[in-house]
Amino acid sequence: RDIAAALAEVGEREQARKVFDRALQVAEGIERAWWQAGMLRDIAAALAEVGEREQARTVFDRALQVAEGIEDADKRAEALQDIVAALAKAGEGERAVEVAQRIPANRDWHLPQIAGVLVEADDKENFKRLLIPCAYYLDAAYAMGGLLAKVYPQQAVAIAEVMMRGAEA
């Protein structure tokens, strides 16, 4: 993956495609779904970084398919969060939020983590789509308050006041 990305960055597109294809073959041969989903996620992220958007989408699709087949709900949630974060970093915020809705466990932890990645990606619209799902969990709501202050620093005092009133209630 790293070699392919480096080749693409220096203009060796054809050679990079061959290396990416080989990385995908290796990833498909990994038997443990957890590791396979992670490898596919990394390859998709690298493809997105070098501008291969269509192929990245295809590989993200495969990573999601593998991750959703993980039997352990906690492991599945972690794999999905990692893929969603990579999607958000790749500029696929809308899709990231859609997939985030399918996270089966520990949503109070995973959703604010994903929201943080969306903030880092400067994707305010999709960040705001996670406000309501996070409102169902106290810890997540507090985390989102902190992120709201980052997104809207001019409103940080007002956000803090509202959260302090909520804590008193």
Side-chain angles (χ1 to χ4, degrees):
R1 176 194 72 92
D2 292 339
I3 293 169
L7 286 167
E9 286 178 19
V10 296
E12 295 289 336
R13 290 274 206 228
E14 192 56 41
Q15 190 66 22
R17 282 188 185 93
K18 290 177 185 176
V19 176
F20 273 125
D21 288 344
R22 180 66 184 125
L24 287 168
Q25 289 173 350
V26 170
E28 287 296 339
I30 296 172
E31 291 183 22
R32 290 192 173 174
W34 167 260
W35 294 110
Q36 185 182 43
M39 175 67 86
L40 290 167
R41 175 206 62 227
D42 289 348
I43 293 168
L47 285 163
E49 285 177 22
V50 299
E52 296 288 337
R53 295 269 181 217
E54 285 305 313
Q55 189 176 9
R57 284 186 188 105
T58 301
V59 177
F60 274 127
D61 288 344
R62 179 68 182 125
L64 288 166
Q65 180 182 29
V66 170
E68 288 177 339
I70 297 171
E71 290 184 25
D72 181 282
D74 290 333
K75 289 284 189 197
R76 185 169 62 249
E78 287 180 40
L80 288 171
Q81 177 194 321
D82 291 344
I83 294 167
V84 167
L87 281 166
K89 288 177 185 174
E92 299 279 342
E94 185 174 342
R95 185 166 183 214
V97 172
E98 289 170 9
V99 174
Q101 302 302 331
R102 300 193 311 247
I103 291 178
N106 304 317
R107 292 170 58 83
D108 59 325
W109 167 256
H110 294 295
L111 294 180
Q113 297 300 313
I114 294 162
V117 174
L118 290 166
V119 168
E120 290 172 19
D122 197 31
D123 188 344
K124 290 179 185 178
E125 292 307 310
N126 287 303
F127 162 77
K128 290 188 284 188
R129 292 177 57 203
L130 290 177
L131 287 170
I132 299 299
C134 286
Y136 290 101
Y137 310 98
L138 186 59
D139 291 350
Y142 279 119
M144 293 300 279
L147 291 170
L148 275 169
K150 284 184 181 180
V151 173
Y152 301 103
Q154 69 282 9
Q155 299 295 324
V157 171
I159 293 167
E161 288 173 355
V162 168
M163 293 191 77
M164 296 281 284
R165 278 195 306 261
E168 292 170 0

